[in-house]
Amino acid sequence: MKLNIDKIITKYKGKNGAAIPLLQELQELEGYLAPESIRYLSEHTGIPVAELYGVATFYSMFYLEPQGRHIIRVCKGTACHVSEADTLGVAIRSHLGLSEGENTTSDGRFTVLEVACLGCCSLAPVIMIGDTTYGKLVVDKIGKILDQYE
Amino acid sequence: MAIKTIKVGMASCGLASGAEDVYHAIQKSLPDSIELKKTACLGFCFAEPMVEVIDEAGKSEFFGYLTPRDADKLLNNTLPDRKLLISQKRDAPANKQLARQVRITTRHSGSIDPENIQDYLDDDGYMALKKVCTGMSPQEVIDEMKASGLRGRGGASFSTGLKWQFAKDAAGDKKYIICNADEGDPGAFMDRNILESDPHSVLEGMAICAYTVGAKNAYIYCRAEYPLAVKRLKKAIADAEEMGFLGDNIFNRGFSLHIVLKEGAGAFVCGEETALIASIEGKRGMPCLRPPFPAQSGLWEKPTNINNVETFATVAWIINHGAAAYAAYGTEKSKGTKVFALAGKIKNTGLIEVPMGITLREIIYDIGGGIKEDRPFKAVQLGGPSGGCIPADLLDTQVDYDSIVKTGAIMGSGGMVVMDDTTCMVNIAAFFLNFTQNESCGKCTFCRIGTKRMLEILQRIQNGEGVLEDIEKLEHLSEQIISSSLCGLGKTAPNPVLTTLRYFKDEYIAHIKDKRCPAGVCSALVHFEIDEEKCTGCTLCIRACPTHCISGEVKKLHLIDQDSCISCGACYSVCKFDAVIRTQY
Ligand SMILES: Cc1cc2nc3c(=O)[nH]c(=O)nc-3n(C[C@H](O)[C@H](O)[C@H](O)COP(=O)(O)O)c2cc1C
Ligand code: SF4
Ligand code: SF4
Ligand code: SF4
Ligand code: FES
Ligand code: FES
C-alpha cells in the first residue's frame, strides 16, 4: 500500500500547490482519506497535517470515512428541486433502508450523497451513479436502476 | 435521396438518454455507403437521443426521441414524422426554434466530433490563432476585443478587452491565464456543453489570450462533476500539442503556451476568481479582498487573466469574422449573443444561443415551447443563487445586462430555470438560502450566520409558524448581508429572497396569515389522502412510500396512516390514477 502512496508523492515532489491533487490521488487509490494515510502523506511531503485536513474538510469531494462501492449522487440543484428531487432522494434512501444521518448501506454497497448540480439539468430530476448519469427519473424506476449495481 | 452521413449526438445528456445504444444499433446495420460519426450536442436535450441525417446533396434532417429499435427505420428513411425535429427539406417542429438562434459561441456544437481535431480544423479551427500569431500585435487583438463589446460570460460581465488590457499592461514577465470551468450555478450547463462539444474553441481562445497578454502558462479549472468534459479536454490538449497549436514555438513565432487541467474538488465558492486561484495554489478556496485584482497579483502573486469558458469559446469567432460582425448582434450595451440553459418546467429543455435583446417571452414560448403540460407560467429564475425570480408580468423584459438587473435578478452565467404554479416561491427562497448557507466559506460573519438566520426564518414560515414581522426581519438581514460580505457569494445571497418578496409577497402572506401554501408544496401545510372512488389498488404507492405508512391489498382500496405520513408526496407522484389527493389545511 505504502508503495503506491510513494508513487503519488514522487509525482508531486517539489511542485507548488500539490495538496489538492495529492489528496485526490490518495483518495482514488484508497477510496477515502484514512488518518494514517494523511499522516504518512504529511511526513513524506512536509505539508503539515493540519493543512491537509484543512483542505480535506473544505472540499466536498473528500471523504474522511470509507464509502460504499457505488456512490449515488442525488442532484439537489434548482431544476431538480422544482422537479421533485426531494421525493426522489427520500425514495432512494428508503429503498436502500438508510436511516436518518446514515449515508452508506451496512453491506457497503452504496453511499448516497447530495450534490448541488450535475449539469444535466435539462433531464431533471437527475442522479449519477459512479460516472453514469440517469435523467428524467421517476420514483418507480429506482429499483430497476439500483439492481444493476453489485 | 440516399443518406451520406449520420451523426449521433453524444454529450452528457445524450448519453444519459441512451445515445450509446442508439449508436451501436445503427453501426450494426450500417451499409458501407453511409458514414457514421459521433458529435456532441445541438442543445435539444428534451429530444435526446438525437441524430442528424445528411443526404448526398448536403441537406440535413434531425431526428429525436430515438431508441435502438429505430436504427433500421432510420437507415431506410422510414422514421415516423413525430420523430422529426429539424429539417432543411420540409416543415419540422423545431425549425423555428433553430431559426430564432444565432450560433456563434456554439458554432461547432453538434456538428463536429469533439474528439477529432481534424473536424475542428476543417471548420476554421486554429485559423484565428494563426491570424493573431502571424499578423496582429497584442494591442491590435485587444482593440478588436474591445470593439466587439464582448463582456465576460461568467457572471460579473466585465469587458473582456479591458480585462486583457490590464493583464497585458501589468508589469512582470511571468503571467498566467486561467479558464474558469467551475460552473457551479445549479441549473446552468452551458460551459459543460461547450467543453464537451467543442473543447478546441476554448483552447484556441485561451491561446489567443495568452499571446495577447504575454503568458506562457495556463490553467483550466474544471468541476470534478464533469467527467466527460475533463476527458475531452485532456484529449484536446494532447492533440493540439501534438499538432503544434499548443506547446513550444507555436507557428514558429517563438510563442509558447502550456495548459494544465486542474480538477476542482467540490466547492461552489471556488468559482469566484480569488478563491479559484487559492484552490489552484492547493489551499482552501477562500475568496480574498480585491484590489489587488488578479490582473495585478493573481496566481502565485503574478499577473493573471481569468475568463469563463463561454468567453474564451467566443474569441476565435470574433477574430475570424471581425468585431463589427459580433457587435452587429445585441443591444447598445450588451453586444453579441449569449448561451442559455433552459431547464425546469419548460417543454423544450436544452441549450440555446440567442442575440442579446431578445425578450424572455420569446425565449420561453417561441424557443422553449412554453410550459410543460401547458400549466400557467409563474416565474423564471435567472442567475442562480445570486439571481432572482422574474414574474409573468415582466416576461417582455429584454434579455440584456441592464434590463435584467432592473428586475432585481441578474443575467448571471445563463441558467434559466422555469417555474409553474406547482412551485412555491417561499420554498424556492429557502432552497437558495440553504444553498448559499452551505457554500459560504465562513470568512464573513454576515454571510456565514446571517444567511443561516434568514434560512431559519424562511423555514418557520414554511412550517406555518411565521409572523408578519418576519418579512421585515428578512429585509433587514438582507441589507446587512449585502453590505458586509466580502465576495459576490455573500453580496448577492439575499437576492432570491428579495426578488420573491418583491414579486410574490402574497405567497409569503398566505403562509404566514392563512397557514396555507398556495402551490401545495410546503409539507407542513399539506396532507395526502386516497380517493376511494379512484384507487384501483395497484399498490404502486405502497412501494414508493418511504415511511411504509400506506396499507392495502392488491385491487383493494389503499389507506394512508396520517400519523406516520411525512407528506413527502411520493405516493402523489407515482399514482397513475390521480387517486392520491393533495389538500391544503
Ligand atoms: C460565488 C461566485 C461563484 C462564481 N462562479 C463562477 C463560475 O462557476 N464560473 C465562472 O466563469 N465565473 C464564476 N464567477 C465569476 C468569476 O469570479 C469571474 O468573474 C469570472 O470567471 C471572470 O470571467 P469572465 O470575465 O469571462 O466572465 C463566480 C463568482 C462568484 C462571486
Ligand atoms: S461573502 Fe461569504 S463566501 Fe464570500 S468571502 Fe465572505 S463568507 Fe466567504
Ligand atoms: S398508486 Fe394510486 S391507484 Fe395505486 S394503490 Fe396507490 S392510490 Fe391506489
Ligand atoms: S406522502 Fe409520502 S409518507 Fe405520506 S403516504 Fe404518501 S408516500 Fe407515504
Ligand atoms: S439542477 Fe439537477 S442536474 Fe442541474
Ligand atoms: S443534449 Fe446537449 S446539453 Fe443536453
Side-chain angles (χ1 to χ4, degrees):
Chain A
M1 171 194 110
K2 294 280 182 282
L3 208 74
N4 286 329
I5 301 192
D6 287 338
K7 260 193 215 155
I8 302 174
I9 292 170
T10 321
K11 185 167 158 193
Y12 290 99
K13 196 138 218 148
K15 286 200 182 153
N16 275 338
I20 296 174
L22 271 170
L23 291 171
Q24 278 169 333
E25 294 207 17
L26 174 64
Q27 179 164 297
E28 212 161 285
L29 189 69
E30 303 191 334
Y32 78 110
L33 303 173
E36 52 293 355
S37 299
I38 291 199
R39 223 172 301 120
Y40 186 87
L41 205 63
S42 164
E43 279 162 18
H44 291 79
T45 57
I47 306 174
V49 171
E51 195 179 320
L52 290 174
Y53 270 108
V55 168
T57 52
F58 185 83
Y59 296 97
S60 65
M61 298 289 265
F62 292 122
Y63 313 128
L64 297 174
E65 275 152 31
Q67 303 293 301
R69 289 194 293 285
H70 307 286
I71 296 190
I72 306 177
R73 290 171 217 278
V74 181
C75 178
K76 289 291 170 90
T78 324
C80 293
H81 179 77
V82 301
S83 310
E84 284 154 35
D86 283 344
T87 310
L88 190 71
V90 170
I92 290 176
R93 297 179 55 88
S94 109
H95 186 92
L96 296 175
L98 291 171
S99 49
E100 204 155 317
E102 198 183 24
N103 290 329
T104 303
T105 54
S106 50
D107 58 0
R109 191 166 145 227
F110 289 110
T111 293
V112 182
L113 301 174
E114 291 182 358
V115 293
C117 176
L118 291 166
C120 255
C121 326
S122 49
L123 305 180
V126 178
I127 67 168
M128 204 165 170
I129 306 182
D131 277 353
T132 308
T133 310
Y134 298 89
K136 295 189 186 167
L137 274 182
V138 284
V139 172
D140 35 335
K141 273 200 218 157
I142 292 168
K144 227 171 132 189
I145 292 175
L146 296 185
D147 286 347
Q148 296 169 32
Y149 292 84
E150 283 287 295
Chain B
M1 176 109 25
I3 299 175
K4 184 153 176 278
T5 310
I6 294 178
K7 295 182 188 176
V8 184
M10 298 179 95
S12 286
C13 314
L15 293 172
S17 311
E20 190 95 46
D21 294 338
V22 171
Y23 182 88
H24 290 304
I26 299 173
Q27 200 174 32
K28 241 188 190 158
S29 334
L30 193 75
D32 286 341
S33 58
I34 300 179
E35 179 194 26
L36 180 63
K37 295 195 66 166
K38 291 181 183 176
T39 178
C41 154
L42 198 71
F44 288 74
C45 307
F46 67 97
E48 291 284 350
M50 226 176 115
V51 300
E52 180 182 7
V53 177
I54 306 169
D55 68 17
E56 281 175 330
K59 295 258 190 239
S60 91
E61 290 196 319
F62 288 84
F63 296 91
Y65 318 100
L66 297 178
T67 67
R69 268 173 306 185
D70 290 322
D72 290 327
K73 287 192 195 128
L74 179 77
L75 291 166
N76 325 327
N77 259 326
T78 52
L79 274 180
D81 281 354
R82 67 191 150 81
K83 302 221 170 189
L84 178 72
L85 273 174
I86 303 164
S87 172
Q88 292 184 332
K89 302 190 256 195
R90 49 182 163 152
D91 215 28
N95 279 359
K96 222 175 56 197
Q97 289 155 25
L98 196 60
R100 295 302 297 262
Q101 302 191 41
V102 177
R103 303 184 75 95
I104 290 177
T105 309
T106 56
R107 59 200 176 277
H108 300 125
S109 296
S111 75
I112 68 167
D113 177 352
E115 297 192 23
N116 184 348
I117 191 170
Q118 195 56 47
D119 268 23
Y120 184 67
L121 294 175
D122 290 345
D123 198 6
D124 286 352
Y126 291 105
M127 292 284 291
L129 180 62
K130 186 173 182 190
K131 181 172 171 185
V132 161
C133 284
T134 57
M136 286 174 85
S137 71
Q139 191 56 49
E140 280 169 344
V141 178
I142 288 176
D143 292 341
E144 194 73 9
M145 295 310 293
K146 284 183 185 162
S148 76
L150 178 66
R151 289 164 69 169
R153 301 301 193 220
S157 63
F158 190 77
S159 155
T160 304
L162 214 54
K163 195 183 253 188
W164 291 16
Q165 184 83 63
F166 291 143
K168 174 184 165 286
D169 294 347
D173 51 359
K174 185 123 184 111
K175 296 182 186 177
Y176 292 98
I177 301 288
I178 298 174
C179 172
N180 189 342
D182 196 42
E183 192 164 59
D185 269 9
F189 50 96
M190 302 76 51
D191 295 350
R192 171 186 64 70
N193 181 56
I194 292 170
L195 295 169
E196 286 177 1
S197 299
D198 192 14
H200 287 288
S201 70
V202 179
L203 301 182
E204 187 174 2
M206 290 177 72
I208 291 169
C209 175
Y211 167 85
T212 307
V213 307
K216 296 186 186 67
N217 293 286
Y219 288 89
I220 301 176
Y221 187 92
C222 186
R223 277 189 93 189
E225 287 88 348
Y226 289 178
L228 187 63
V230 167
K231 179 182 154 225
R232 290 188 177 161
L233 268 175
K234 280 189 181 154
K235 178 159 197 319
I237 294 172
D239 290 348
E241 276 174 357
E242 198 180 311
M243 299 200 55
F245 301 118
L246 294 176
D248 289 319
N249 198 16
I250 298 166
F251 293 116
N252 289 321
R253 296 291 159 130
F255 158 61
S256 308
L257 177 65
H258 296 273
I259 300 184
V260 173
L261 182 67
K262 283 264 179 186
E263 279 183 62
F268 170 72
V269 72
C270 285
E272 195 279 336
E273 53 193 31
T274 58
L276 189 152
I277 288 169
S279 183
I280 294 183
E281 291 173 350
K283 303 187 219 151
R284 290 163 74 96
M286 309 264 247
C288 49
L289 206 60
R290 299 173 308 179
F293 285 92
Q296 273 75 50
S297 171
L299 187 60
W300 321 116
E301 286 161 24
K302 302 287 184 225
T304 301
N305 182 82
I306 173 162
N307 278 119
N308 163 262
V309 168
E310 194 183 326
T311 314
F312 278 131
T314 311
V315 170
W317 191 94
I318 294 174
I319 298 294
N320 280 330
H321 297 80
Y326 190 74
Y329 295 105
T331 64
E332 174 71 34
K333 284 190 185 146
S334 305
K335 296 289 186 208
T337 58
K338 174 82 193 80
V339 184
F340 288 100
L342 303 183
K345 300 294 175 81
I346 189 165
K347 280 185 188 158
N348 304 340
T349 57
L351 210 84
I352 61 164
E353 182 172 356
V354 288
M356 297 269 197
I358 189 171
T359 67
L360 285 169
R361 186 185 304 280
E362 289 170 293
I363 290 182
I364 291 167
Y365 285 92
D366 297 350
I367 301 178
I371 311 304
K372 275 186 188 156
E373 297 168 19
D374 293 316
R375 299 190 76 97
F377 167 91
K378 188 184 238 174
V380 54
Q381 211 284 339
L382 260 71
S386 307
C389 294
I390 302 178
D393 51 4
L394 294 180
L395 267 176
D396 290 310
T397 303
Q398 276 198 1
V399 177
D400 62 62
Y401 291 107
D402 304 314
S403 309
I404 298 288
V405 165
K406 273 192 209 130
T407 67
I410 59 163
M411 180 92 89
S413 58
M416 283 194 184
V417 182
V418 175
M419 298 164 186
D420 66 12
D421 59 335
T422 64
T423 312
C424 166
M425 301 318 275
V426 182
N427 174 277
I428 285 295
F431 164 80
F432 280 114
L433 258 284
N434 182 45
F435 178 88
T436 37
Q437 199 261 118
N438 277 330
E439 298 293 340
S440 162
C441 81
K443 205 175 196 172
C444 318
T445 316
F446 270 100
C447 172
R448 184 180 70 239
I449 301 173
T451 54
K452 197 165 173 69
R453 289 293 101 84
M454 284 181 77
L455 177 62
E456 285 162 2
I457 296 174
L458 289 166
Q459 282 167 339
R460 262 205 322 267
I461 298 177
Q462 283 187 282
N463 286 336
E465 293 156 2
V467 289
L468 278 175
E469 293 80 76
D470 282 339
I471 292 182
E472 273 162 51
K473 270 194 205 149
L474 285 172
E475 285 165 341
H476 184 61
L477 272 168
S478 295
E479 274 167 39
Q480 290 176 312
I481 295 171
I482 291 170
S483 63
S484 36
S485 291
L486 186 152
C487 86
L489 189 147
K491 277 187 204 304
T492 59
N495 281 355
V497 178
L498 292 175
T499 53
T500 47
L501 271 176
R502 178 160 157 194
Y503 300 118
F504 301 96
K505 202 175 237 166
D506 51 328
E507 279 193 44
Y508 282 81
I509 308 267
H511 284 74
I512 295 171
K513 271 186 148 170
D514 314 336
K515 313 292 173 208
R516 198 173 61 84
C517 173
V521 170
C522 296
S523 57
L525 304 180
V526 293
H527 85 139
F528 293 88
E529 271 173 296
I530 293 174
D531 185 333
E532 285 178 36
E533 307 272 297
K534 289 188 178 159
C535 177
T536 64
C538 74
T539 76
L540 215 55
C541 57
I542 294 196
R543 277 174 278 152
C545 176
T547 59
H548 309 291
C549 67
I550 306 180
S551 56
E553 283 166 38
V554 184
K555 294 197 181 153
K556 295 216 173 104
L557 174 64
H558 283 47
L559 257 182
I560 297 177
D561 170 10
Q562 295 296 341
D563 291 338
S564 320
C565 172
I566 56 167
S567 295
C568 74
C571 53
Y572 181 78
S573 60
V574 294
C575 180
K576 302 214 172 10
F577 304 94
D578 293 330
V580 180
I581 322 168
R582 187 176 61 186
T583 34
Q584 291 156 358
Y585 286 118

